[in-house]
Amino acid sequence: MAAGVESQAGAYASAITYIDRVKAAQPEGSTLGIELEGDLAAQQSDFEASLLAFQQAWDIAASPGLGVKIHRSLTALERPDETRQFLESWVADSPNEPAVNLLLGMTLQENSDDDAAIAAYEVAYSQEPDNIVALNNLAWLYQDSDPERALE
């Protein structure tokens, strides 16, 4: 928390000191310190560094939160092929994770692959029926091909 406060205040050197303390104190297999490094880099718009940190943490212990951060870093770096590749790999490893299916749908939609986006959103919606983002995006995509379904 102290690292976050310091970084919000622009005191990055102080934030790094706290992050180093976290990394020294964390148990083996923990990714908190590495993830904090990535967060700090992203806050400073150093998306190469944030991506490296998040990928390092992912290799230790993949989680939906880290997946979202990797996605954001890749998107900020404007690497659509790598973004799609990462998401497809994540879906293959964790097909029951609603977050990855939603992000995949969003990425496919942004790249005008509407049929594939619909398929990904439908999976995300089936996994999480209260997901209003998936539902809204499905409605937008259905409006041309199936207006009745879009309205529903």
Side-chain angles (χ1 to χ4, degrees):
M1 188 167 154
V5 170
E6 293 296 323
S7 68
Q8 289 295 323
Y12 300 122
S14 182
I16 290 170
T17 300
Y18 283 112
I19 291 169
D20 288 343
R21 288 182 187 170
V22 168
K23 288 172 71 176
Q26 71 187 16
E28 188 172 326
S30 175
T31 63
L32 179 60
I34 301 166
E35 191 171 347
L36 288 171
E37 282 180 332
D39 291 338
L40 183 61
Q43 184 180 5
Q44 296 174 73
S45 299
D46 184 354
F47 296 108
E48 282 290 347
S50 69
L51 178 60
L52 289 173
F54 296 144
Q55 287 176 325
Q56 181 183 2
W58 179 268
D59 290 342
I60 296 168
S63 71
L66 278 169
V68 169
K69 289 177 181 188
I70 290 170
H71 177 267
R72 283 186 192 146
S73 295
L74 286 167
T75 300
L77 290 166
E78 298 179 359
R79 296 182 184 168
D81 292 339
E82 285 181 58
T83 303
R84 186 173 179 161
Q85 209 171 23
F86 169 71
L87 292 173
E88 288 173 348
S89 172
W90 185 10
V91 166
D93 291 341
S94 302
N96 297 322
E97 177 55 56
V100 67
N101 289 298
L102 181 65
L103 287 174
L104 180 60
M106 293 167 71
T107 299
L108 293 165
Q109 185 177 7
E110 288 168 6
N111 291 301
S112 300
D113 192 348
D114 292 351
D115 291 337
I118 287 171
Y121 286 136
E122 287 175 342
V123 171
Y125 177 66
S126 72
Q127 293 170 326
E128 203 173 49
D130 294 339
N131 189 322
I132 60 171
V133 174
L135 202 57
N136 180 68
N137 292 357
L138 275 170
W140 278 103
L141 290 169
Y142 286 152
Q143 70 182 342
D144 291 330
S145 63
D146 192 350
E148 291 296 319
R149 194 167 185 192
L151 186 59
E152 179 186 316

